[in-house]
Short mmCIF file of all heavy atoms in Angstrom, two decimals:
data_model
loop_
_atom_site.label_atom_id
_atom_site.label_comp_id
_atom_site.label_asym_id
_atom_site.label_seq_id
_atom_site.Cartn_x
_atom_site.Cartn_y
_atom_site.Cartn_z
N THR R 123 -15.64 -20.23 9.46
CA THR R 123 -16.69 -19.41 10.08
C THR R 123 -16.93 -19.80 11.53
O THR R 123 -17.34 -18.97 12.33
CB THR R 123 -18.03 -19.47 9.31
OG1 THR R 123 -18.35 -20.83 9.13
CG2 THR R 123 -17.93 -18.78 7.97
N SER R 124 -16.63 -21.05 11.91
CA SER R 124 -16.80 -21.39 13.32
C SER R 124 -15.49 -21.27 14.11
O SER R 124 -15.45 -21.62 15.29
CB SER R 124 -17.44 -22.77 13.49
OG SER R 124 -16.94 -23.65 12.53
N ALA R 125 -14.42 -20.83 13.48
CA ALA R 125 -13.14 -20.69 14.20
C ALA R 125 -12.59 -19.27 14.18
O ALA R 125 -11.97 -18.83 15.15
CB ALA R 125 -12.11 -21.64 13.59
N VAL R 126 -12.81 -18.57 13.08
CA VAL R 126 -12.17 -17.26 12.89
C VAL R 126 -13.22 -16.16 13.14
O VAL R 126 -14.36 -16.29 12.69
CB VAL R 126 -11.61 -17.12 11.45
CG1 VAL R 126 -10.99 -15.76 11.22
CG2 VAL R 126 -10.61 -18.23 11.17
N ALA R 127 -12.81 -15.12 13.83
CA ALA R 127 -13.73 -14.01 14.13
C ALA R 127 -14.30 -13.44 12.83
O ALA R 127 -13.58 -13.27 11.84
CB ALA R 127 -12.99 -12.92 14.89
N ALA R 128 -15.58 -13.14 12.87
CA ALA R 128 -16.28 -12.67 11.68
C ALA R 128 -15.75 -11.33 11.18
O ALA R 128 -15.90 -10.98 10.01
CB ALA R 128 -17.78 -12.56 11.97
N GLY R 129 -15.11 -10.57 12.06
CA GLY R 129 -14.61 -9.24 11.70
C GLY R 129 -13.48 -9.23 10.70
O GLY R 129 -13.17 -8.19 10.12
N VAL R 130 -12.84 -10.39 10.48
CA VAL R 130 -11.75 -10.45 9.48
C VAL R 130 -12.36 -10.89 8.16
O VAL R 130 -12.90 -11.99 8.07
CB VAL R 130 -10.68 -11.50 9.87
CG1 VAL R 130 -9.43 -11.31 9.01
CG2 VAL R 130 -10.34 -11.44 11.32
N GLY R 131 -12.28 -10.06 7.16
CA GLY R 131 -12.84 -10.42 5.86
C GLY R 131 -11.80 -11.09 4.97
O GLY R 131 -10.63 -11.18 5.34
N SER R 132 -12.25 -11.61 3.83
CA SER R 132 -11.32 -12.07 2.78
C SER R 132 -11.91 -11.65 1.45
O SER R 132 -13.09 -11.91 1.18
CB SER R 132 -11.15 -13.59 2.78
OG SER R 132 -10.40 -14.01 3.90
N VAL R 133 -11.12 -11.03 0.62
CA VAL R 133 -11.59 -10.54 -0.67
C VAL R 133 -12.07 -11.69 -1.54
O VAL R 133 -13.13 -11.63 -2.16
CB VAL R 133 -10.45 -9.77 -1.39
CG1 VAL R 133 -10.82 -9.42 -2.82
CG2 VAL R 133 -10.08 -8.50 -0.60
N LEU R 134 -11.28 -12.74 -1.61
CA LEU R 134 -11.59 -13.89 -2.45
C LEU R 134 -11.26 -15.16 -1.65
O LEU R 134 -10.09 -15.54 -1.54
CB LEU R 134 -10.74 -13.84 -3.73
CG LEU R 134 -10.74 -15.06 -4.65
CD1 LEU R 134 -12.15 -15.47 -5.04
CD2 LEU R 134 -9.91 -14.79 -5.90
N PRO R 135 -12.27 -15.80 -1.07
CA PRO R 135 -11.99 -16.93 -0.17
C PRO R 135 -11.61 -18.22 -0.90
O PRO R 135 -12.22 -19.27 -0.71
CB PRO R 135 -13.27 -17.08 0.66
CG PRO R 135 -14.33 -16.43 -0.15
CD PRO R 135 -13.70 -15.45 -1.09
N ALA R 136 -10.59 -18.12 -1.76
CA ALA R 136 -9.97 -19.31 -2.35
C ALA R 136 -8.74 -19.57 -1.49
O ALA R 136 -7.87 -18.71 -1.42
CB ALA R 136 -9.59 -19.05 -3.79
#
Side-chain angles (χ1 to χ4, degrees):
T123 52
S124 39
V126 178
V130 193
S132 288
V133 171
L134 170 54

